[in-house]
Structures are given as C-alpha cells and as structure tokens.
C-alpha cells in the first residue's frame, strides 16, 4: 500500500517517512550539521546548507505534509516565525481579515510588527461569515482564521470561509494549533495554508518551540520556501526530531485529551461555583453544529469563569491548583492552567480583549492525559477551598 493511501493513525507514524539512507535508521538521525560536503561546486547529495534544508527537518516537513493532507510542509523556529513567513507574502497596502479572538502573540505580530510596513488588519467575529464578507474590498489579500479560537473556543465554519475566499480570490489560512489534523483537516475543507504552533499538540511534551506551514499548491509552496530560506527563521535538527517523535503519538494523545476534556468540561458545567464554561462539545455552544460537522471530536481545551466573574476568585483558583501547572502554553501531556488576561493575551488591549469575552476572571485549561479523576479532584479542591 502506498503511503498516500494510509489512514490518519498510520500517517502519524509512517507518513512521508522512509528509513535513513546511510544505515537504515528507522528514526531519522539528528543531522546536527550546518553544512554538507560537495565533490565539485553544486555536487552534493541534495543538501548544501542547513538553513536551506536539513535532512532531519525535511523528514519532519514530509510528516507535516502527510498528516495535514497537503503536498508541502515547511518547519520554522516557532509558530510565530511560520506566521511571519505567511504575512511576508503580502505587500504594503494589502489587507488581512482575521479572527477577533485569537492568540495574543498572533495579534501582536499583526499589529505591532506588520502594520508599520503598511499592511492593514481587520479583526472580526468570524462565527458570522457575513461579517467577513462585509470587510472584503479590492485590497483584501488574506483571511486568517483560528478555530477553535484561543481562548474563547469559538468555532469558525472553514468550508463557508473557504467559499467566500475563493469567490474573491483571497488567500485563506487556518491556524490549526488547537484542533490538530486529528480533529480537522482544513486543506481538505478548502484552506490554502495550514499553520501550527507545533510547540503545542504536535510536539506534545512541552519540550520544544517550533512552527509549521502546510500547503497543497506548488507555486505557493515555492513562494513560502523562498521566504523561509531568505528570512532564515528555521528550526534546528534536534527540535525537528522532537516534533517528529511527538507526531508519532498524536492520535493516541488526542484521543485521551478529548476524553479527559469532555469529563472536565462536564464537571465544571455542573459545578455551582462556576458561571460559564466554554467548550465546543456542549450542545448549547453557539457553534456546536459547525464543530460537529468539521471536527471529529471536541478537543481538550476549555475556558471557564467562576461564579461572580471576580478576578481575585479566578487568581485564587489558579494558585491553588496542584496537578494543573500554572504556565503559558498548551497541548502537552501534562495539564496546564492559564490566566489569559495576564498571560497569553496580555498583549491585546483590555477593551479589545473584553469585546471578545477575554475578561479578567477567565481561566483557560489545557487538559492533559493524566487520570481524569485526579484532574477533577484537583479542580474541585481549587474551586471549593
Ligand atoms: C493558536 C496559537 N497560534 C500561534 C501560537 C504561536 O506559536 P509559538 O509560541 O510556537 O510561536 C500560539 C502559541 O501559544 C497559539 O496558541
């Protein structure tokens, strides 16, 4: 059976991989080298300088392309470096329409780095696709979607946005960090670019920072590859190896993240001291039907607000947690808790933040793959103490 025909769980392990040419190593060696010997100028074996390409990074890039059902993968030094490469496709005067509640660092690179180069960003609530349509003009060159959104867990209809983007000939990128290709495959739903903070679920063990892009189209891949090589924000061989190893267990980890996420979301929703729980698996979540249609399960990311929406109560809860670690990031095997207003989303001005629901009492959980009873006991003692 050719590797193209493999199902998802097999692709995470075998997709785009073959034993190493030198000694048949099953895992690609960590080619810790900056350069490669040439017999004559240009006489090399496919690799000449590790910014341009490195065999360990290539193995990862092939795996990324495979699991996202794309044709080309590109790996970068971080998720933000991957986003940086996408925005560099644009010219001064071009406009971007983006999700209004998105990762704070994504907002920051758009507003604080690229706006001064003349690129214009519009942030809209994309649950209503009509709001995107209303912002489109002749300068609109990119629609940037995060779904589910960080941290409000809004779900955006990828197929509907794709139709709109195609109609107006606009490039359409999806940040698939929260869902991962285990839950949704945006390229198959019409996106042109999938982006990942592979630091999160793809790496899966909170031990590496890395970013990724995957595309189907050769011309787009060539333009992105040119930027990757010319700007140079590549990841090193060791980090490539770690993410490649992480991807091999993505499917089993995600299955448990989803199971534990559901149990924790249901526990919180029933708890009298909790006011609101944001998780797309609830039938009363405003975008539940879209989530059900485009995702195969609902993931392990949950946000919630304690009763009274009081900032101090929220801070006490995150301080009392013992098994959940209070830390930036998400998607690792261990459960993490975060306070978006002061941590991941502090770079978004308070008025902007609060418009999309990121209030000072909001707590975000990345539910890990520990025994779920232990996680629930930890939350119970932190909420009830
Ligand atoms: C949804 C999302 N996109 C992008 C990023 C940025 O990725 P990185 O931290 O790997 O640069 C993050 C990081 O938290 C994220 O959560």
């Amino acid at each position: 059976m050719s590797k193209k025909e493999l199902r998802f769980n097999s692709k995470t392990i075998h997709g785009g991989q073959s034993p190493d040419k030198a000694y048949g190593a099953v895992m690609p060696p960590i080619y810790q080298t900056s350069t490669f010997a040439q017999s004559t100028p240009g006489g090399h074996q496919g690799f000449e300088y590790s910014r341009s390409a490195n065999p360990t990074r290539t193995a990862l890039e092939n795996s990324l392309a495979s699991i996202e059902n794309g044709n080309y993968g590109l790996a970068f030094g971080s998720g933000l470096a991957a986003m940086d490469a996408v925005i560099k496709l644009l010219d001064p005067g071009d406009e971007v329409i983006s999700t209004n509640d998105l990762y704070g660092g994504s907002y920051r690179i758009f507003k604080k780095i690229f706006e001064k180069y003349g690129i214009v960003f519009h942030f809209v609530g994309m649950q209503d696709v009509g709001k995107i349509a209303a912002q489109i003009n002749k300068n609109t060159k990119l629609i940037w979607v995060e779904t589910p959104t960080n941290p409000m867990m809004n779900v955006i209809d990828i197929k509907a946005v794709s139709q709109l983007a195609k109609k107006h000939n606009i490039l359409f990128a999806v940040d698939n960090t929260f869902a991962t290709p285990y839950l949704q495959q945006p390229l198959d739903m019409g996106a042109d670019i999938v982006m990942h903070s592979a630091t999160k679920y793809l790496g899966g063990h909170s031990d590496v920072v890395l970013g990724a892009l995957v595309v189907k189209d050769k011309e787009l891949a060539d333009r992105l590859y040119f930027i990757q090589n010319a700007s140079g924000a590549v990841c090193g061989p060791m980090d490539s190896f770690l993410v490649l190893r992480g991807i091999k267990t993505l499917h089993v980890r995600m299955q448990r993240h989803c199971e534990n996420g559901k149990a924790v979301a249901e526990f919180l929703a029933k708890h009298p001291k909790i006011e609101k729980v944001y998780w797309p698996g609830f039938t009363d979540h405003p975008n539940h039907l879209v989530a059900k249609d485009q995702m195969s399960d609902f993931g392990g990311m949950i946000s919630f607000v304690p009763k009274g929406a009081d900032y101090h109560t929220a801070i006490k809860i995150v301080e009392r947690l013992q098994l959940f670690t209070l830390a930036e990031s998400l998607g690792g095997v261990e459960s993490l808790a975060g306070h978006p207003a002061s941590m991941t989303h502090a770079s978004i001005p308070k008025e902007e933040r609060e418009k999309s629901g990121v209030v000072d009492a909001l707590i975000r959980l990345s539910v890990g793959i520990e025994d779920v009873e232990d996680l629930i006991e930890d939350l119970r003692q932190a909420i009830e103490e």
Side-chain angles (χ1 to χ4, degrees), residues 77-81 83 102-103 105-106 146 148 150 175 177-178 195-200 209-211 329-330 344 364:
S78 70
L80 286 175
M83 292 181 71
L102 80 168
Y103 169 58
S106 307
E146 204 180 279
N150 180 0
D175 180 337
T177 300
F178 267 37
M195 174 261 158
H196 276 278
S197 170
T199 315
K200 312 293 166 15
V209 173
L210 194 142
S329 206
L330 60 108
T344 43
R364 190 191 75 183

Side-chain angles (χ1 to χ4, degrees), residues 280-291:
F282 291 133
T283 50
D284 63 352
H285 180 286
N287 322 116
H288 175 70
L289 291 179
V290 178

Side-chain angles (χ1 to χ4, degrees), residues 2 86 97 197 207 213 238 244-245 299 352 361 368 371 373 375:
S2 96
V86 175
I97 307 174
S197 170
D207 51 10
L213 299 176
M238 178 70 196
L244 190 58
R245 185 166 74 160
E352 280 298 315
D371 273 308
E373 294 81 3
L375 298 177

Side-chain angles (χ1 to χ4, degrees), residues 17-40:
Q17 306 303 299
S18 45
D20 185 64
K21 284 200 190 106
Y23 298 106
V26 168
M27 272 304 278
I30 300 159
Y31 279 97
Q32 195 69 46
T33 183
S34 59
T35 192
F36 300 82
Q38 306 191 17
S39 54
T40 182

Side-chain angles (χ1 to χ4, degrees), residues 9-24:
N9 296 349
S10 309
K11 280 188 182 177
T12 64
I13 297 163
H14 301 288
Q17 306 303 299
S18 45
D20 185 64
K21 284 200 190 106
Y23 298 106

